[in-house]
Amino acid sequence: MKVLKSKHFYKSMIFLIYFLFFLSISFTGNFKIFVKKFYFPYIIIGILILLSLLLAEIKKLKRFKETSFFDILTFCIFLFPLILLIIVKPTTLPTYTALKRGIQTEFLTQDVLKSLQEKIEIEGKYKKLTIKQVLGLAKSKPEQIDGKDIIVEGMVYKNERKFMLVRFLITCCAADATPLGIEIEYKENGEKEEIRNDDWVKVRGKVKIENDKVKIIAEEIIKTELPSNPYLY
Amino acid sequence: MKELNKERNLKKVLIFLGAIIALVILNIWQSGSFYKLNQIIKNPKIQVFTIILLAILIEGFPFILIGSLISGSIDVLISEEKFKKFFPKGKFSSAIVASFFGFLFPVCSCGEIPVSRRLIKKGIPTAGGISYLLATAIINPITLFSTYLAFSSLKIVFGRFLVAFICSIFIGILIAPKDKNEILKEYEEEHPDDENLSKIDRILFHSEDDFIIMGKYLIIGATLASIFSTFIPREVLLTISKNKILSILSMQILSIILSLCSYADAFVANTFTYLPDMSKIIFMISGPMMSISLIFVYFAAFKGKFVKKLLISVFLTLFTIGIIGSFIMR
């Protein structure tokens, strides 16, 4: 197996596995677990460059050059994140991160104001809003949201004192995720299925703004599946 | 001979580590608690670590690839004479011109390293190469616009631009050696000037070397950054930020360990509502200039002595500007 001793073989393998990895995350849409949609064109450019590098490296396979220990070490370093990915199979950032980063209960930037101008879906008497929109409205136009019926989706974070609905806002990638949260006032019904931390739920209820703090008086909390876009942008 | 010794030592360390891992696995297996591994994998900390590591890589790799391709093209297509003819020769003038190069090639922090290495190799004044390296990730249209989106304040955008501009020119002039060989780390490049190869092949061969070397160090840096990001609560650094001097220092440290992309850090800085503006600006400049994942890539591209000098001077310059600025900007 002379080829296994060739330096170019290991280099080609690096280009091949990363080419396949980027191809698979862009086909399945799984890149959204890690980065924003904005990066999609860059991922495609990356795939094309990787393919060209792979083809160029394959051409070199004819000229044998013996591999060194460092080439194999480099190959292992490149392999490490992908093996980790296959073993861990992550789905979305858990609320553990929210605690580490501090949950933001007040949030307003220009793009929040812009998103408020978009058409808002209505389900029965409830307005479908995101946590980002609720926090933005509560800060900029509290009169438009105080006392209104809404539906919000997010992850549960609760402890002895608080029950919160949390969702991560990402700008570029999961490393910059900022947890946004709203306090939920809710009396748990013993008969119902227990709601745990990190469960995805839809909360139906009324908004209440007190001393500039927004909360939702929940009428109903329904467990849901992980949405296709777990983050807010 | 030195290489061989290094290889032998590294082999010994790896065999030692491998033996420890094998022993740990054997121990878990014998105690019959192998199913516990499944619980370890499901642990939120491991999940967060994996997501952040992969996020930094998925974000960084396309830019390293683009940067490597630009770098390869510069090397093959533009001759040294042309560069020398068009680029200002003075330290000061070259540093100013190079710090605006981000408007021509708006590559992210990871992409600018191979380009700057190639520019220096091509013979632009070293001061210009260094100021390009430090300025590009900040002084480019995408970063400045995203800063405006995050803060809706022209004062912050201008502050970020100005501090980055001053800092990159100052450091460019301060630490630039006359001889480019004091900066550039020589790594093995295969038949770069083989006349039988087509231009495209030559560009690709150059890009390959850049990508493999810098990609490897990005993985190591991103692994460290995600360990810090997963296990260190931000509050620890944010609570000591009440004091002006400590707030600048803690923001510098936070930006180094978080390793955020320069397009995104403004949105994170905006959430530090109780910090003075100057500390936020320093956070947004220190990250793109010396975050932990970049530090590793710097060591891949440049000589160790130069990188140490660069890091110390960036850290001290930003600290000084931060302190002076926080008294001017209220």
Side-chain angles (χ1 to χ4, degrees), chain A residues 57 60 65 110 171-172, chain B residues 59 152 188 190 201 208 267:
Chain A
E57 193 62 36
K60 284 199 236 165
K65 193 167 182 201
Q110 271 221 331
T171 314
C172 281
Chain B
E59 192 181 56
S152 328
E188 187 197 359
E190 289 174 65
D201 276 345
E208 268 177 15
F267 292 86

Side-chain angles (χ1 to χ4, degrees), chain A residues 7-8 10-11 14-15 18 21-22 25 31 33-35 38-39 42-43 45-47 49-50 52-60 63 65 68-70 73-74 77-82 84-85 87-94 96-97 99-104 106-111 114 169 171-179 198 231, chain B residues 3 6-7 10-11 14 41-42 44-59 61-63 65-66 69 106 108 142 148-152 188 190-191 194 197-198 201 203-205 207-209 211-217 219-220 223 229-235 238 258-261 263-265 267-268 270-273:
Chain A
K7 184 188 182 78
H8 302 307
Y10 289 97
K11 275 173 110 180
I14 292 175
F15 297 130
Y18 273 85
F21 165 63
F22 276 105
I25 56 168
F31 71 91
I33 301 173
F34 309 100
V35 296
F38 164 84
Y39 274 94
Y42 293 104
I43 294 177
I45 295 173
I47 290 174
I49 301 177
L50 278 168
S52 342
L53 297 185
L54 173 66
L55 296 176
E57 193 62 36
I58 288 175
K59 269 192 203 169
K60 284 199 236 165
R63 306 183 213 175
K65 193 167 182 201
S68 74
F69 173 69
F70 286 107
L73 189 65
T74 303
I77 292 174
F78 272 94
L79 215 55
F80 160 70
L82 301 185
L84 192 71
L85 178 72
I87 296 174
V88 177
K89 294 193 195 84
T91 46
T92 180
L93 283 174
Y96 165 81
T97 326
L99 279 181
K100 280 272 177 248
R101 295 184 183 184
I103 300 170
Q104 301 289 316
E106 285 179 38
F107 190 80
L108 183 69
T109 54
Q110 271 221 331
D111 65 315
K114 221 162 97 192
L169 177 79
T171 314
C172 281
C173 74
D176 63 59
T178 306
D198 289 326
Y231 309 116
Chain B
E3 272 293 293
K6 215 169 139 190
E7 192 173 321
L10 202 67
K11 257 185 188 164
L14 286 179
I41 290 163
K42 286 277 171 295
K45 287 177 193 167
I46 303 289
Q47 296 264 330
V48 175
F49 169 76
T50 312
I51 291 183
I52 296 180
L53 169 63
L54 264 299
I56 298 177
L57 296 183
I58 294 174
E59 192 181 56
F61 271 164
F63 283 102
L65 284 163
I66 295 170
L69 203 62
C108 204
I142 305 176
Y148 178 71
L149 275 184
F151 284 94
S152 328
E188 187 197 359
E190 289 174 65
H191 41 262
D194 193 335
L197 291 168
S198 70
D201 276 345
I203 292 175
L204 290 176
F205 289 168
S207 315
E208 268 177 15
D209 292 330
F211 172 71
I212 294 271
I213 287 164
M214 302 198 190
K216 175 170 76 182
Y217 283 94
I219 294 174
I220 299 172
T223 307
S229 196
T230 312
F231 297 100
I232 297 179
R234 287 182 190 178
E235 275 73 26
L238 292 175
L258 288 185
S259 294
L260 300 176
C261 165
Y263 300 167
D265 53 4
F267 292 86
V268 176
N270 187 37
T271 62
F272 306 147
T273 38

Side-chain angles (χ1 to χ4, degrees), chain A residues 118-180:
Chain A
E118 289 161 15
K119 211 179 163 200
I120 289 165
E121 268 184 71
I122 303 227
E123 210 176 284
K125 62 170 183 170
Y126 302 97
K127 270 186 183 170
K128 241 181 170 173
L129 293 173
T130 63
I131 295 182
K132 181 175 153 187
Q133 287 171 320
V134 176
L135 295 183
L137 272 174
K139 191 106 177 140
S140 62
K141 296 166 188 164
E143 68 287 350
Q144 279 191 20
I145 193 169
D146 197 11
K148 295 281 178 335
D149 293 308
I150 59 163
I151 297 184
V152 199
E153 196 176 12
M155 278 155 104
V156 173
Y157 167 68
K158 59 178 189 174
N159 57 24
E160 298 81 36
R161 289 176 293 120
K162 266 185 186 168
F163 186 118
M164 292 193 89
L165 196 65
V166 177
R167 204 143 171 198
F168 289 96
L169 177 79
I170 73 170
T171 314
C172 281
C173 74
D176 63 59
T178 306
L180 302 181

